[in-house]
Amino acid sequence: MTTSTTTTMSPEQRVTTVFQLLQNANKKNYMGEKITQLDHALQAAQLAKKDGADEETILAALLHDIGHLCPLADACHRPETTTDIGVVDHDKAGAQYLRKLGFPKKTCELIESHVLAKRYLSAKDPAYHAGLSTASKQSLKLQGGPFTPTEMRDFEKDPLFKQKVQIRKWDDAAKVIGAKSPALDTYRDMTIKNLKLSKSDLVKIAEDMGQPAFRGKQVYEWIYSKGATLFQDMANLPKGLQEQLERTYCVDYGQILQNQLSVDGTRKMLIQFKNDSRAAVEAVFIPEEHRGTLCVSSQVGCSLSCTFCHTGTQSLYRNLTAAEIAGQYMIAAWIAKDMPRKVNQRPNVSNIVFMGQGEPLYNFRNVSAAIKLMTDPDGAGVAPWRITISTSGVAPLIPRIAAELRVGLAVSLHAADNDLRTEIMPINKTYPLPLLMNSCAEFARIAGPQNRRITFEYVMLDGVNDSDSHAKQLVDLIHGLPAHVNLIPFNPWPGSLYQSSSAARVAAFCGLVRNSGVHASVRTPRGDDILAACGQLKSVHDKAASP
């Protein structure tokens, strides 16, 4: 059960609305073919299921042409041609329509790109283009025609490239006259299960099941405040409601693939979502005497390619949803025996830092929703000041952290010289240091004097950024900001280009910063015996899973 309010309709009503559009197309022929639009959709979904696709991809196959049928189609271009080719922009219209109804991000993205995949295949394989129907060829001309070589190369870099192409291939193959497919309602429960659900959605679900609104709030509290994963354990719910919920929904925080415990107490988990072997991320819990910090991931992989970061060697697969981000916390809180939540008692998982895989501000919408979920007093109740977002420097969004989320800020700085930072962190080309520092100053202004200092993270790379002159540059750069410098001894990983600065060099660098009046500390290495460097465990998993 996930977050994000999308509509006043219940999940069942949303699915019924969408399915009715397909059902109404049962007597309408698919563009230029002798099968109905409904038969075409069901065949595509069946092909996806037979090929072992995940549920979000099966939904994309089922609903890939919903843009021809949904209300948004009326505002799209429907050209007059000798052959009915429907709505030219149906891919975009369909994705937009389903997003508003809370359908999974991946499903919507695949739907939005299935026309692009046709343009790609048409350019890649002349035989493919020659085999297109008359209607498909006519629509292709209006959709931009076959890709250029540059467009082909760019499309091939897409993390969902293979799945987007496969959706298109199922689309092309789903035109068999007289073929028998499972009925549309076969996909109803799966579709409902994959919708985003908020607290208000749970209230509506309860009301639709003939229960008072407060029952939905009770379900929410059981999930996020008490950590229940089975409806039968929600003791104050009527048995009938428990059974109704059990038939349609499940509470899934994610599956723990690996759970490693270091000799120093650090725990590193590899968590997989939606039974997708590629959708696995790391979460690390670091216990200390007066606090316990959970490091969570915001994306599967990363697009930034920082040269010292192991996650930078992994391509970006997709953003995590708000529920998947919050799920990492719920799993850690359960293991740490923080669930059920205890009032007026400091939890073992007391702090959350977005310092795992991915750039949080490149997934701002879902990160924001996850934070609002985790800080909800009716749910997990984490204090906002105990949460920190670490960014590589997405300058335009930094002030919004203070204005909208009221959580702490950490900046992965790692160099105070613009050219050097560009060399080791390519994002600096887009958001150079002057722009980044202006955004940090704006964050401090909005946050006000009561907010804690901005943490500037600085990995110590031997002979690269660790000289006395580098320390002086750092002090000059952040002078005037409420700053704390966190020096991080580099944790080498197989194939890395760097070595860590010596302990003596790190201590000397720290002393220079402190003597200049800037707060500074050296991070104590943790979990060296369990591949605790960001991305290492995920890489081992991906290598083992690859054919």
Side-chain angles (χ1 to χ4, degrees):
M1 289 197 165
T2 65
T3 61
S4 177
T5 303
T6 54
T7 173
T8 56
M9 290 192 293
S10 71
E12 289 88 347
Q13 289 172 325
R14 296 180 221 170
V15 172
T16 297
T17 298
V18 174
F19 278 22
Q20 192 61 53
L21 293 175
L22 278 178
Q23 198 65 53
N24 292 343
N26 191 29
K27 297 180 180 179
K28 180 180 179 181
N29 280 2
Y30 175 65
M31 321 306 170
E33 305 294 338
K34 295 182 179 180
I35 63 170
T36 68
Q37 182 76 59
L38 175 61
D39 287 337
H40 172 66
L42 293 174
Q43 286 185 33
Q46 186 179 24
L47 290 170
K49 193 170 183 179
K50 283 184 176 180
D51 284 348
D54 60 67
E55 291 184 349
E56 292 176 325
T57 303
I58 294 172
L59 285 179
L62 178 68
L63 302 173
H64 69 278
D65 276 340
I66 201 69
H68 286 301
L69 311 170
C70 72
L72 296 181
D74 295 337
C76 296
H77 179 45
R78 189 185 294 268
E80 295 183 6
T81 61
T82 55
T83 303
D84 180 18
I85 63 173
V87 176
V88 172
D89 295 325
H90 71 282
D91 49 341
K92 299 180 180 63
Q96 182 181 350
Y97 175 65
L98 295 178
R99 282 193 185 101
K100 290 182 177 180
L101 292 177
F103 276 72
K105 176 182 174 65
K106 180 179 176 182
T107 298
C108 297
E109 188 172 344
L110 292 175
I111 290 172
E112 194 168 33
S113 299
H114 78 279
V115 168
L116 296 179
K118 180 174 76 170
R119 295 180 61 197
Y120 170 82
L121 290 170
S122 296
K124 183 79 172 177
D125 183 5
Y128 172 87
H129 183 264
L132 292 175
S133 67
T134 300
S136 195
K137 286 179 180 176
Q138 287 184 352
S139 63
L140 179 64
K141 293 178 182 178
L142 297 171
Q143 291 160 344
F147 270 162
T148 66
T150 299
E151 289 173 324
M152 289 178 64
R153 287 192 295 271
D154 288 343
F155 192 60
E156 288 168 348
K157 295 176 183 177
D158 191 306
L160 292 176
F161 163 70
K162 291 183 179 179
Q163 288 156 288
K164 290 179 177 181
V165 170
Q166 192 59 58
I167 288 284
R168 186 71 228 179
K169 290 181 177 179
W170 293 324
D171 180 1
D172 294 331
K175 301 174 183 178
V176 181
I177 300 172
K180 293 184 178 181
S181 303
L184 181 59
D185 264 357
T186 304
Y187 300 98
R188 178 176 290 274
D189 287 349
M190 181 185 74
T191 307
I192 292 173
K193 186 176 71 174
N194 278 276
L195 289 186
K196 298 177 179 179
L197 302 180
S198 67
K199 189 194 303 185
S200 59
D201 288 329
L202 292 173
V203 169
K204 191 76 170 79
I205 289 170
E207 291 176 334
D208 287 348
M209 291 181 174
Q211 300 289 332
F214 75 84
R215 293 297 188 193
K217 295 178 181 177
Q218 287 177 325
V219 174
Y220 179 86
E221 290 171 0
W222 273 106
I223 294 173
Y224 290 111
S225 184
K226 300 179 182 179
T229 57
L230 297 175
F231 295 110
Q232 66 189 34
D233 293 338
M234 300 180 183
N236 58 355
L237 298 185
K239 187 172 179 59
L241 178 58
Q242 292 177 348
E243 293 173 349
Q244 282 181 285
L245 291 168
E246 200 74 48
R247 283 195 295 268
T248 309
Y249 300 100
C250 67
V251 181
D252 183 10
Y253 299 133
Q255 177 187 359
I256 302 176
L257 297 183
Q258 294 192 45
N259 186 358
Q260 299 185 353
L261 185 62
S262 170
V263 294
D264 64 19
T266 299
R267 183 182 297 275
K268 186 162 193 175
M269 297 168 287
L270 186 67
I271 301 171
Q272 175 180 291
F273 300 105
K274 299 186 182 299
N275 294 319
D276 182 354
S277 62
R278 292 188 64 188
V281 299
E282 299 171 356
V284 181
F285 176 59
I286 305 170
E288 298 175 279
E289 183 177 357
H290 299 295
R291 65 181 178 183
T293 301
L294 177 68
C295 178
V296 298
S297 295
S298 56
Q299 296 178 306
V300 183
C302 188
S303 62
L304 295 182
S305 301
C306 298
T307 59
F308 53 85
C309 179
H310 195 276
T311 303
T313 65
Q314 304 165 6
S315 61
L316 176 66
Y317 179 49
R318 67 170 175 86
N319 286 334
L320 292 180
T321 66
E324 290 165 345
I325 294 169
Q328 296 170 68
Y329 166 76
M330 295 302 298
I331 288 173
W334 183 261
I335 291 175
K337 296 182 170 48
D338 286 339
M339 294 291 167
R341 177 182 160 201
K342 303 167 185 66
V343 181
N344 299 324
Q345 180 178 328
R346 183 180 68 81
N348 294 308
V349 182
S350 60
N351 294 57
I352 301 170
V353 294
F354 284 81
M355 296 182 182
Q357 294 167 270
E359 167 51 59
L361 298 190
Y362 280 166
N363 188 19
F364 187 80
R365 179 174 60 86
N366 287 321
V367 166
S368 299
I371 288 173
K372 290 173 183 176
L373 180 62
M374 292 186 290
T375 57
D376 186 346
D378 292 333
V382 180
W385 64 272
R386 289 190 175 275
I387 298 176
T388 298
I389 290 179
S390 174
T391 175
S392 295
V394 185
L397 293 179
I398 286 175
R400 292 180 63 182
I401 297 174
E404 300 175 23
L405 302 178
R406 300 181 295 110
V407 300
L409 169 66
V411 176
S412 293
L413 190 62
H414 309 306
D417 174 79
N418 209 53
D419 291 338
L420 176 57
R421 191 168 193 269
T422 298
E423 181 182 331
I424 64 176
M425 300 182 70
I427 192 175
N428 200 65
K429 296 177 184 177
T430 305
Y431 305 114
L433 281 174
L435 181 60
L436 175 58
M437 290 301 106
N438 286 340
S439 292
C440 289
E442 181 64 7
F443 171 92
R445 185 191 68 78
I446 296 172
Q450 303 304 317
N451 195 281
R452 62 189 186 276
R453 296 182 291 261
I454 300 171
T455 297
F456 289 95
E457 299 162 308
Y458 197 98
V459 65
M460 297 295 291
L461 305 174
D462 184 35
V464 176
N465 65 348
D466 63 348
S467 69
D468 289 356
S469 61
H470 289 130
K472 185 178 185 307
Q473 287 178 331
L474 174 59
V475 170
D476 290 343
L477 181 70
I478 63 178
H479 178 73
L481 290 173
H484 176 90
V485 174
N486 189 6
L487 300 176
I488 307 168
F490 178 64
N491 191 348
W493 40 269
S496 60
L497 303 173
Y498 308 105
Q499 295 296 321
S500 180
S501 306
S502 67
R505 179 84 294 259
V506 174
F509 193 101
C510 185
L512 287 170
V513 174
R514 285 176 175 170
N515 292 337
S516 299
V518 176
H519 295 273
S521 60
V522 179
R523 181 182 298 178
T524 303
R526 299 290 297 267
D528 288 345
D529 57 318
I530 57 168
L531 297 175
C534 188
Q536 284 185 280
L537 194 58
K538 174 69 160 57
S539 287
V540 172
H541 164 75
D542 288 347
K543 187 175 181 180
S546 62

